[in-house]
Amino acid sequence: MATVRHAHTVWQGDLLKGSGVVTLDSSGLGSYDVSWPARAEEPNGKTSPEELIAAAHSSCFSMAFSNGLAKAGNPPTRLETKADVTFQPGEGITGIHLTVRGEVPGLDADQFQSLAEDAKKNCPVSQALTGTTITLTAELA
C-alpha cells in the first residue's frame, strides 16, 4: 500500500531578504523557519532544505540498514547514522556523506561494511537522490 506524506511552505519576500515557514503536515510535528541566510550561511535557529534532506536520509538509511542486517541474521542492537549534506550556492547540493556506527553482535567489519553499502545504494532516499554523489563511512562499535 502506497503512502503519501505532506508538508508545505509559506514564503514571503524575495530570496535574499525573504523568509518562510515549512510545516510538517502529515505528522503535525511542527513548523520550522527557513531563509536563504540559514541555507547559505549559518543556521541561526532556522532549518534548510539540506537539513531536512539530511534528516530524511539518515533515518531512511538506518531503516534500510537495520532491515538488511536482520535479514542477514544479525539484527543490530543500535545504529547511529549521521548525514552531512553539502550545499554550494550557485551549484546546489554537491554531495552527501553518511556516517554510521553500529552495535551488531556476531558480525565482522567486512560484513558490516558490505551491508552498509547495500543500504546506502538501496534505501529509497538514496535512490531518489541518485544525481548526487553519496559516500559512506561505516564502523562497528
Side-chain angles (χ1 to χ4, degrees):
M1 176 170 88
T3 59
V4 177
R5 299 294 183 254
H6 308 278
H8 77 276
T9 299
V10 176
W11 186 268
Q12 297 180 350
D14 67 12
L15 174 64
L16 299 179
K17 295 179 184 169
S19 64
V21 176
V22 59
T23 300
L24 306 180
D25 297 322
S26 298
S27 65
L29 288 176
S31 297
Y32 304 92
D33 294 332
V34 294
S35 70
W36 177 255
R39 186 177 194 184
E41 298 165 16
E42 292 299 318
N44 293 321
K46 297 179 181 175
T47 193
S48 68
E50 291 73 28
E51 184 176 38
L52 297 170
I53 289 170
H57 206 175
S58 67
S59 60
C60 183
F61 171 86
S62 294
M63 290 179 196
F65 192 23
S66 69
N67 186 49
L69 289 163
K71 283 184 174 181
N74 297 92
T77 302
R78 183 174 198 275
L79 296 174
E80 183 176 336
T81 305
K82 178 181 176 187
D84 297 311
V85 177
T86 302
F87 174 75
Q88 179 64 46
E91 292 181 45
I93 294 173
T94 58
I96 300 171
H97 185 75
L98 297 170
T99 304
V100 62
R101 182 174 169 86
E103 297 172 14
V104 186
L107 198 69
D108 67 34
D110 289 340
Q111 293 170 307
F112 186 81
Q113 181 70 40
S114 176
L115 291 166
E117 288 288 345
D118 185 67
K120 178 192 83 161
K121 177 182 172 189
N122 293 307
C123 93
V125 171
S126 290
Q127 290 180 346
L129 299 170
T130 56
T132 303
T133 301
I134 301 170
T135 55
L136 172 70
T137 301
E139 178 182 303
L140 271 172

